[in-house]
Amino acid sequence: MDAAEIKGRIKEIITNITNIEPSEIEDDASFTADLDLDSLSLLEIGVDVDYEFKLGLPEEAMRGIDSVNATCQLVEKRLREKSATADVA
């Protein structure tokens, strides 16, 4: 899965929670400053991203994730880690 596909799926998750159209969500959009999301919406996004990509992240891993790009980077990193672990096993 490449970065563009991950970003697209993350934007779909944001849309499902906020009703903001994906075309209106910039790649570098800040969840609070640009999209004006509250803490409950951020929690929902974190849970849905974790579920969508089957990341198995601890709750604290999503803390501090404040933008679409940061979320995408976290997902990419975790998918690489899971892949490397699966290759070793």
Side-chain angles (χ1 to χ4, degrees):
M1 181 176 311
D2 67 7
E5 186 177 356
I6 292 170
K7 274 186 189 158
R9 290 169 98 178
I10 290 169
K11 288 180 181 183
E12 287 175 22
I13 290 168
I14 294 168
T15 296
N16 290 338
I17 293 168
T18 66
N19 294 322
I20 299 170
E21 290 299 317
S23 60
E24 297 175 20
I25 302 170
E26 298 292 328
D27 289 349
D28 62 348
S30 164
F31 291 143
T32 53
D34 298 323
L35 302 179
D36 197 32
L37 302 182
D38 60 20
S39 59
L40 180 58
S41 295
L42 296 175
L43 178 62
E44 288 180 85
I45 290 168
V47 168
D48 287 3
V49 166
D50 188 52
Y51 181 78
E52 172 73 20
F53 295 101
K54 297 170 181 48
L55 301 176
L57 289 171
E59 187 176 318
E60 58 273 0
M62 289 302 289
R63 289 190 188 125
I65 300 300
D66 60 355
S67 68
V68 174
N69 278 337
T71 306
C72 184
Q73 290 168 359
L74 176 66
V75 170
E76 289 176 315
K77 178 182 177 206
R78 181 65 177 147
L79 290 176
R80 280 193 306 272
E81 289 171 354
K82 286 181 71 171
S83 176
T85 302
D87 290 343
V88 171

